[in-house]
Amino acid sequence: MKTLILAEKPSAGRDLARVLKIAPAKGRSPAYLEDERYVVSWMIGHLLGYAYPGEQNPAWLKWSFATLPMFPERFLLKELPNTARQVEILRGLLAREDVGEIIVATDAGREGELIFRHLYDHLGCTKPFRRLWILDNTDAGIRKAFAELQPGGRFDNLAASARARSESDWLVGMNFSRAYTIKGGDKFSIGRVQTPVLALLVHRRKAVDAFVSEPFFTCTATLSPLPPAQGDPFPAQVLAPPDFTGDRFKTKQEAQDQATKVDGLDGVVATLEQKDVVIAPPLLYDLTALQKEANAKYGFSAKQTLDMAQKLYEAEKVITYPRTDSRYITQEIFKEMDQRLAALPKGYKPLTDLALERLKTHKTFACVNDAKVTDHYAILPTGKTPSSGMDQRLKQIYDLVARRLIAAFLPAAKVRNTKMLLDVHGQKLQAAGKVFLDSGWLVAEPWRKGDDVVLPALEQGSPLHVDATEVKASKTKPPSHFTEKTLLAAMERGDFETPGPQADDHASSNGHSEGETGRETALNSIMGLEDQSRPAPAVGIGRPSTRAAIIELLVERGYVRRDKKRLIATETGITLIDFVESTVPQLTSAKITHVWEKALENIAQGRDDPREFIARIKQFTTQGIQIMARQPTRPRVARPNAPSPG
């Protein structure tokens, strides 16, 4: 008897066949490869999808509240037109009498499991199957996975979670998209995850539009140490009387008057506060952390980063499985770190030498934690060297992953934060800055140091001279629009907060810069570096592998537009969210979606019943449809290229 191996994509199937030494037939490109022991074939992504309402039930062809809510007794799967031929090929392979077992080799995750289970159920297959769980797509990684084949039943809970996610998305999306389209005068699309994310962007757009900028002025002095103190000139902010608690002046004249009181005079260091801060090495990348970093550093969208990471995994084979939500590795993988570091390209050698030396003297690292690794570990470089001809953008993503691996095994960085209150003839000035005592892991990610004010080594009572003063006009700024980095961070946390106003560039002296908002700023250390040593909450809204698709969907449907790095809600998006929040506001709640995501995670872990979860979704949908049925119908809106509902 033969074993049928089912990969998720043709390229993956051919890689498996190559490792198993199954040669392709000469002169043609078959839909499967075969030898005396194995038959290797593949899906083409999702071969099947849930049928539309009218296909589930002919009575649901009519868009009417009389047919809502729509709850299929059993979800009908339909074959997608562009992959129907492959379904027929797999139907024949699964029915072959000489095929006695299946090895499932789809992607090692929830969606990969669903792709296989849908086909298996749709074709009524009952043959036994085992799971090939590939995390490292190199030849060695594939051979290791074959040596550790797992029983298919071990992933039944993961499959149940995948089905529950897919069915709940259909129930919420199809029912509420119809309800809001019927009542809303436009073709509207509602989604279990997309609607809370759109609401977040709408709230930010409204906060920006409603913001009224207020002008103010600042005065910056340049000071030099006087003997016996030594050091280079440094900047300080002139504080406003009478309480000297802030550095903003209402008028230019007030700022100039204060400048006159200190310009050219001598002063002293009145108080000196110094604090040595240790910045722990960062955790390794999961997909969301990599997407945020690539957006901040290179401007890549979340989808672009996912696509490139997937290519680095599948085609180039230089990184491990990217669709992971873990930032940790196991002790078993840790045993390979010296080989993985040594295998990095020669250009990293000065840095890898530092990490390899530290591995000899330290055995405990924050990123090594068996208890925090479930089905996948963090994204790592494999032992394969990237080709010199690889696309530049792929090289940039690989560079982030390689440098993060090195950084995670380097020492902590140490910085001395300093704040000085200066007295110049009774007037007060404030200077703040820092000194890097030990760059530590920052040598691997040097861009994180930024442009920091370096202060001379002064003591309380040290004499100073004010060399010059400069008055600048400034103004408060509204909250920043979301970038993909900040939106992904909000989705990861499931904690949608709206920040207050910002000042303009002057605010950077206080550790805030444009683009940092709300909780993100709070997560930054006082040295201005984002804390990478702690993970985000385990469950936010959406999954790492689907968050990019949610953003793209909102753009595609005209609810959000891109403006360089910024994501801005459109008027259509605002109209939809206003309507939803006035009727069934729970659909915009990140908290409720977070609860749903947590329930799906519990199902995957065997701690929750998928039937109870779907029952709760149906109850919520029924109540929401009842509310919508009582709403008056809005006038029909003529809008070109309206998005398709659902």
Side-chain angles (χ1 to χ4, degrees):
M1 297 294 285
K2 294 187 177 184
T3 296
L4 173 62
I5 301 173
L6 287 179
E8 187 164 322
K9 299 175 183 176
S11 59
R14 295 187 184 101
D15 282 339
L16 295 175
R18 178 178 50 76
V19 171
L20 294 171
K21 302 188 184 318
I22 303 172
K26 293 182 179 180
R28 63 191 183 97
S29 178
Y32 61 91
L33 304 169
E34 185 174 6
D35 66 4
E36 66 280 356
R37 185 178 176 187
Y38 295 111
V39 180
V40 181
S41 192
W42 42 81
M43 321 284 188
I44 307 174
H46 282 275
L47 296 176
L48 305 162
Y50 288 136
Y52 286 111
E55 297 166 320
Q56 298 278 355
N57 184 338
W60 296 344
L61 283 169
K62 184 178 181 180
W63 286 50
S64 165
F65 272 89
T67 64
L68 298 179
M70 302 174 291
F71 295 153
E73 291 185 13
R74 184 178 182 276
F75 277 90
L76 174 67
L77 290 165
K78 70 172 183 177
E79 299 174 13
L80 304 178
N82 58 336
T83 58
R85 180 173 178 273
Q86 190 66 15
V87 173
E88 285 306 306
I89 291 169
L90 294 178
R91 189 193 307 272
L93 293 177
L94 286 166
R96 276 175 46 169
E97 293 184 359
D98 63 338
V99 171
E101 182 194 31
I102 305 163
I103 291 178
V104 184
T106 51
D107 279 359
R110 189 166 73 179
E111 286 306 299
E113 193 68 22
L114 185 65
I115 286 171
F116 166 71
R117 299 292 182 118
H118 271 173
L119 181 74
Y120 187 82
D121 294 344
H122 179 69
L123 298 182
C125 186
T126 59
K127 292 180 179 180
F129 60 89
R130 290 185 287 168
R131 193 59 159 98
L132 186 72
W133 200 253
I134 301 174
L135 300 176
D136 183 340
N137 208 29
T138 61
D139 288 5
I142 292 171
R143 284 191 289 268
K144 181 180 179 181
F146 269 108
E148 299 172 350
L149 284 169
Q150 302 178 55
R154 180 189 165 188
F155 300 92
D156 285 349
N157 289 331
L158 183 65
S161 174
R163 287 194 186 96
R165 191 278 307 163
S166 193
E167 290 177 8
S168 64
D169 283 352
W170 193 99
L171 293 170
V172 172
M174 291 297 180
N175 280 291
F176 283 107
S177 292
R178 282 201 172 190
Y180 279 95
T181 296
I182 293 169
K183 293 289 188 177
D186 205 343
K187 290 184 178 179
F188 284 130
S189 172
I190 301 293
R192 183 179 59 86
V193 177
Q194 77 177 55
T195 303
V197 174
L198 176 58
L200 175 65
L201 294 167
V202 166
H203 296 161
R204 184 61 58 85
R205 163 77 187 275
K206 288 184 175 182
V208 172
D209 290 351
F211 185 80
V212 178
S213 180
E214 297 180 1
F216 64 91
F217 296 84
T218 61
C219 179
T220 303
T222 302
L223 299 97
S224 296
L226 294 174
Q230 296 181 348
D232 295 328
F234 63 95
Q237 294 304 123
V238 178
L239 301 180
D243 53 7
F244 300 110
T245 58
D247 58 2
R248 296 183 182 184
F249 297 86
K250 293 183 178 179
T251 66
K252 184 177 182 180
Q253 188 61 51
E254 289 177 352
Q256 289 176 334
D257 289 346
Q258 201 63 18
T260 302
K261 293 179 183 179
V262 300
D263 199 4
L265 301 180
D266 293 342
V268 297
V269 177
T271 62
L272 181 68
E273 296 179 29
Q274 291 184 318
K275 183 178 180 180
D276 288 355
V277 179
V278 175
I279 312 300
L283 295 174
L284 298 163
Y285 282 129
D286 63 4
L287 176 59
T288 302
L290 179 62
Q291 287 170 319
K292 291 190 295 183
E293 188 75 7
N295 179 251
K297 194 168 192 304
Y298 298 117
F300 298 155
S301 72
K303 183 179 185 302
Q304 287 173 327
T305 299
L306 173 58
D307 290 345
M308 287 186 282
Q310 197 71 21
K311 187 171 183 179
L312 289 171
Y313 167 69
E314 289 181 352
E316 302 292 338
K317 307 182 192 309
V318 294
I319 67 170
T320 58
Y321 183 73
R323 295 171 182 260
T324 175
D325 59 359
S326 176
R327 302 188 67 178
Y328 297 89
I329 58 173
T330 61
Q331 286 287 345
E332 181 183 1
I333 298 298
F334 176 58
K335 294 175 183 177
E336 306 172 3
M337 281 305 103
D338 52 350
Q339 294 98 328
R340 287 185 185 259
L341 285 164
L344 289 176
K346 293 180 180 179
Y348 296 102
K349 184 168 174 49
L351 298 173
T352 55
D353 286 347
L354 293 174
L356 288 167
E357 189 63 32
R358 194 158 187 266
L359 283 176
K360 296 177 182 177
T361 58
H362 291 72
K363 300 302 178 185
T364 303
F365 297 91
C367 64
V368 183
N369 191 325
D370 285 45
K372 295 186 177 181
V373 178
T374 52
D375 296 324
H376 310 100
Y377 50 77
I379 304 172
L380 302 173
T382 64
K384 184 178 179 182
T385 301
S387 64
S388 58
M390 194 166 70
D391 180 82
Q392 178 62 26
R393 298 196 307 170
L394 293 179
K395 290 180 180 178
Q396 289 171 326
I397 296 297
Y398 177 82
D399 182 65
L400 290 177
V401 175
R403 287 180 176 276
R404 177 51 58 91
L405 175 67
I406 297 168
F409 295 102
L410 290 180
K414 297 177 182 178
V415 66
R416 178 167 294 160
N417 287 290
T418 302
K419 180 185 288 187
M420 295 187 295
L421 183 65
L422 315 176
D423 187 296
V424 178
H425 287 257
Q427 307 306 312
K428 307 296 182 185
L429 297 81
Q430 181 174 281
K434 48 186 170 282
V435 176
F436 287 93
L437 305 175
D438 186 344
S439 291
W441 62 271
L442 292 169
V443 298
E445 299 185 5
W447 58 86
R448 297 192 183 283
K449 284 189 177 182
D451 298 323
D452 298 300
V453 176
V454 178
L455 298 176
L458 300 175
E459 299 177 354
Q460 188 169 341
S462 292
L464 304 162
H465 180 75
V466 179
D467 299 328
T469 57
E470 181 182 11
V471 173
K472 289 184 177 180
S474 303
K475 62 181 179 179
T476 56
K477 284 187 175 181
S480 297
H481 282 291
F482 278 93
T483 63
E484 296 212 17
K485 176 186 177 181
T486 56
L487 182 60
L488 286 167
M491 294 173 73
E492 186 177 41
R493 294 190 307 268
D495 178 15
F496 290 1
E497 296 182 359
T498 301
Q502 298 177 327
D504 66 0
D505 294 344
H506 165 67
S508 62
S509 67
N510 294 322
H512 301 267
S513 61
E514 186 175 357
E516 293 178 348
T517 57
R519 180 78 175 275
E520 183 190 9
T521 300
L523 287 174
N524 286 357
S525 72
I526 57 173
M527 62 175 289
L529 290 174
E530 187 178 343
D531 186 355
Q532 297 275 342
S533 66
R534 292 177 296 173
V539 178
I541 67 168
R543 299 293 294 168
S545 57
T546 62
R547 288 170 186 150
I550 292 296
I551 295 172
E552 294 302 318
L553 188 65
L554 291 172
V555 173
E556 176 187 324
R557 288 180 169 163
Y559 298 150
V560 174
R561 64 180 175 87
R562 282 193 172 93
D563 179 9
K564 297 181 180 179
K565 285 187 178 182
R566 302 187 304 171
L567 296 169
I568 302 175
T570 64
E571 295 301 323
T572 304
I574 293 173
T575 299
L576 174 56
I577 293 303
D578 285 348
F579 191 15
V580 175
E581 290 187 329
S582 68
T583 49
V584 188
Q586 295 90 340
L587 286 167
T588 67
S589 170
K591 182 177 180 180
I592 289 176
T593 306
H594 174 88
V595 170
W596 288 349
E597 291 289 349
K598 184 64 178 175
L600 291 170
E601 183 66 23
N602 286 339
I603 292 169
Q605 299 301 321
R607 296 192 296 262
D608 205 348
D609 187 334
R611 293 168 298 185
E612 293 181 3
F613 173 77
I614 292 298
R616 294 194 296 269
I617 294 290
K618 287 181 177 179
Q619 181 183 23
F620 168 78
T621 302
T622 299
Q623 293 170 347
I625 293 300
Q626 290 171 349
I627 292 170
M628 290 302 299
R630 298 193 293 267
Q631 301 302 312
T633 301
R634 299 187 175 193
R636 183 65 56 185
V637 175
R639 183 164 61 88
N641 301 320
S644 300

